[in-house]
Amino acid sequence: MLSAPYVTGSPNWIELGTPDVEGAKAFYGQVFDWTFVSAGPDAGGYGMFQLDGRTVAAAMTVPPEKGPPGWNVYFQTPDADAMVKAVEQRGGSVVVRPMDVFDQGRMTICLDPAGAAFAGWEPGRNKGLDRVSDVGALGWLELFTPDLAFALTYYGDVFGWEASQMPMPDGSGYYTMVRPGGAAQDTTFAGVLQMSADRLEASGGPYWLAYFGVEDCDASVARAQELGAEIKRTPVDVEGVGRFAKLADPAGARFAVVQGFTAAGATGGTRPPSGR
């Protein structure tokens, strides 16, 4: 699962882009008990979601004409400019060129060749999220892509990721996971799943999905639905993992919740959830 301190290639930041930040504050505040802290008068409304005073995510206003609502994950890079070169050389594209964010760090937003959005963060004063792999915090990611093998090669070239596989709990095949290059097997932070073109089109194209830990999956889903969320997948148990569900917030940003994280930052077992 995710862990900190972060290393090259690991997820170290996650950010909600939404047309309604005020609505997001209310929604996620009630679902995850998050509070919103402004980044200051010069940050254009940007701010951090915190839990017990520790940053677990961030949010910013993205007008509808600038793109759909969504959670964007940042991966650590020692050199944002070099990362962008690798992205473009391997067939990806750059949405936001590398830029300094005050003295906090340097960021860039990109698309992989299939069209899934992701971002890079070159740390400055801001090294990353304060809390991960715990209740109320980011704990897992999944990439839904039309070509699993190509995605593994692409992100491996850009970030140095290594991949491994494990049998699916139901015996239906294998689940592919990635971890930072040179890191131990237990540092996997994401699964990569191949989906048909029809299913991806129905979902709006290839995408990254973020999983946040909860104490009670069913209660969290019920509360989210009361607040206007759409249930994309009802709660389901996965052997060796826990219980998870997929949702979209009232503005349409997709995310997932998973019950099973411990205070130590692991799930109730070694297996991550599967977004199938």
Side-chain angles (χ1 to χ4, degrees):
M1 305 302 288
L2 277 71
S3 61
Y6 305 101
V7 298
T8 295
S10 65
N12 64 350
W13 195 253
I14 190 161
E15 172 185 280
L16 174 66
T18 178
D20 183 10
V21 168
E22 291 301 316
K25 293 179 190 178
F27 175 78
Y28 290 101
Q30 294 187 62
V31 174
F32 294 132
D33 201 26
W34 291 350
T35 57
F36 185 82
V37 178
S38 171
D42 298 326
Y46 194 93
M48 276 64 71
F49 284 119
Q50 294 189 340
L51 185 61
D52 299 328
R54 301 168 68 189
T55 297
V56 291
M60 64 182 294
T61 299
V62 176
E65 64 273 15
K66 295 293 185 180
W71 283 98
N72 197 23
V73 60
Y74 287 71
F75 299 101
Q76 181 159 310
T77 175
D79 187 332
D81 295 277
M83 172 193 150
V84 161
K85 288 182 181 178
V87 164
E88 294 180 316
Q89 288 172 354
R90 289 156 180 80
S93 56
V94 180
V95 178
V96 177
R97 307 299 301 185
M99 59 179 288
D100 293 323
V101 183
F102 306 113
D103 60 351
Q104 299 299 299
R106 192 163 171 78
M107 59 85 69
T108 181
I109 299 177
C110 305
L111 299 175
D112 71 18
F118 65 100
W121 180 255
E122 178 185 336
R125 289 187 61 188
N126 186 341
K127 306 302 181 185
L129 301 173
D130 295 327
R131 182 172 179 170
V132 294
S133 293
D134 203 349
V135 171
L138 178 68
W140 189 251
L141 300 165
E142 282 183 331
L143 172 64
F144 295 87
T145 180
D147 190 334
L148 186 151
F150 180 82
L152 293 178
T153 298
Y154 176 80
Y155 285 100
D157 288 344
V158 173
F159 291 115
W161 293 351
E162 297 175 358
S164 59
Q165 289 187 321
M166 59 176 289
M168 295 289 289
D170 61 3
S172 61
Y174 289 88
Y175 187 71
T176 301
M177 303 172 292
V178 293
R179 64 184 185 277
Q185 289 279 352
D186 62 2
T187 61
T188 55
F189 58 77
V192 183
L193 297 104
Q194 183 163 309
M195 292 179 65
S196 68
D198 289 344
R199 289 185 66 190
L200 285 172
E201 184 176 353
S203 299
Y207 66 99
W208 282 94
L209 179 69
Y211 284 75
F212 298 98
V214 293
E215 290 184 350
D216 185 325
C217 182
D218 294 82
S220 295
V221 168
R223 184 58 178 146
Q225 191 170 29
E226 290 174 359
L227 295 168
E230 178 184 357
I231 310 305
K232 295 290 189 178
R233 179 167 184 171
T234 56
V236 61
D237 292 312
V238 178
E239 181 183 353
V241 176
R243 190 165 176 83
F244 79 96
K246 296 172 63 176
L247 309 95
D249 72 17
R254 292 173 293 206
F255 68 101
V257 294
V258 58
Q259 175 185 332
F261 288 150
T262 68
T267 60
T270 59
R271 293 175 172 173
S274 167
R276 287 184 178 178

